[in-house]
Amino acid sequence: MTGDRWRRGSIARGALKGLLIVVLSLAGLVVAGYALSKWSPSWWGDPVARRSDASANERARDLEQHLASAVHRIRDEGEPWAIRIRADDLNDWLAARLAEWTAHDPAFAWPIEGAIGQVHFQSGEAVLGLSIDGRVWSGAFALVVEPDRIRIQPGSAAVGRMPLPVGAELIMKLLEGNAASALTLPRVYPLGDGRRIEVRRIDLVDGAIELELTTLR
């Protein structure tokens, strides 16, 4: 009898020890997940510093002027031409100029009120980050040029540096504009003089987006 009680007690102690290990492991995962969710991605810049940087507004306006000059240049019809936009320049524009452009074209997408957006380009993907209540939610997207549209293909998602089991469609719910719901962008854009700009190819590389376009009459 004594031996049986000892064995039963040993089994109970072993079960309790196993349960404690499971509970502590789960608690550790929760704590680690919370810490990772609060830890911004390595590419995320301080939005307050960017907004208060007087030169950021200059760089944003320079980007607008550069793009306007490239788009409106007189070219032979069908002649391919290219532009390259760095993520740093685009993030300056998002910080300094987006608020004035949100009503410009409903075909695009922009962060919901209270969210701060930044982008990061890496090989084959554009990563969109949105800061809301101290956490950065991000999603990776591919941009696929199809015959009649540009398709936005969602990939992985994260909050801070913690991967999320759901896809990047979650991030689109934190955006406004047609592109956020349709997951598409136009491939052809009209100019004021009757010409049109057609997107022929999009390359996402480390730190930049490269576009090949052509001007149509």
Side-chain angles (χ1 to χ4, degrees):
M1 291 293 291
T2 302
D4 290 342
R5 284 198 298 271
W6 183 89
R7 282 192 295 272
R8 286 196 295 270
S10 177
I11 292 171
R13 287 191 296 272
L16 180 59
K17 181 179 179 181
L19 179 61
L20 285 174
I21 290 173
V22 171
V23 170
L24 290 174
S25 297
L26 289 174
L29 287 174
V30 170
V31 171
Y34 178 81
L36 287 172
S37 73
K38 295 286 287 183
W39 190 11
S40 298
S42 60
W43 49 266
W44 182 264
D46 182 355
V48 175
R50 194 182 290 273
R51 282 182 172 177
S52 61
D53 182 359
S55 60
N57 189 277
E58 271 184 47
R59 291 192 295 270
R61 291 182 180 275
D62 286 345
L63 176 62
E64 286 182 9
Q65 293 174 4
H66 170 72
L67 293 178
S69 175
V71 165
H72 288 91
R73 187 174 302 163
I74 301 300
R75 307 174 188 273
D76 292 336
E77 182 172 12
E79 174 190 1
W81 52 280
I83 55 175
R84 185 177 192 271
I85 305 172
R86 298 189 314 132
D88 283 344
D89 294 333
L90 187 52
N91 284 328
D92 284 336
W93 186 87
L94 289 172
R97 301 284 291 157
L98 177 64
E100 299 180 32
W101 283 74
T102 52
H104 182 67
D105 192 335
F108 292 95
W110 55 89
I112 60 174
E113 186 175 355
I116 299 171
Q118 292 182 21
V119 296
H120 169 68
F121 297 125
Q122 56 195 32
S123 180
E125 291 184 324
V127 182
L128 171 63
L130 296 169
S131 177
I132 302 175
D133 296 331
R135 282 186 172 86
V136 177
W137 301 78
S138 62
F141 301 89
L143 300 176
V144 183
V145 178
E146 297 183 340
D148 59 344
R149 62 179 182 169
I150 299 170
R151 178 165 52 88
I152 303 171
Q153 182 173 302
S156 60
V159 54
R161 301 196 184 191
M162 184 177 71
L164 293 174
V166 296
E169 293 94 337
L170 171 67
I171 307 305
M172 303 305 280
K173 297 183 184 301
L174 304 176
L175 298 172
E176 299 175 333
N178 293 347
S181 56
L183 290 179
T184 63
L185 288 167
R187 188 179 169 189
V188 178
Y189 297 87
L191 300 179
D193 59 6
R195 293 180 300 159
R196 295 167 295 144
I197 300 296
E198 180 184 69
V199 179
R200 297 182 60 176
R201 193 179 77 245
I202 300 175
D203 290 325
L204 298 166
V205 300
D206 290 342
I209 180 172
E210 299 174 348
L211 305 172
E212 181 182 300
L213 310 106
T214 189
T215 304
L216 306 174
R217 298 187 186 281

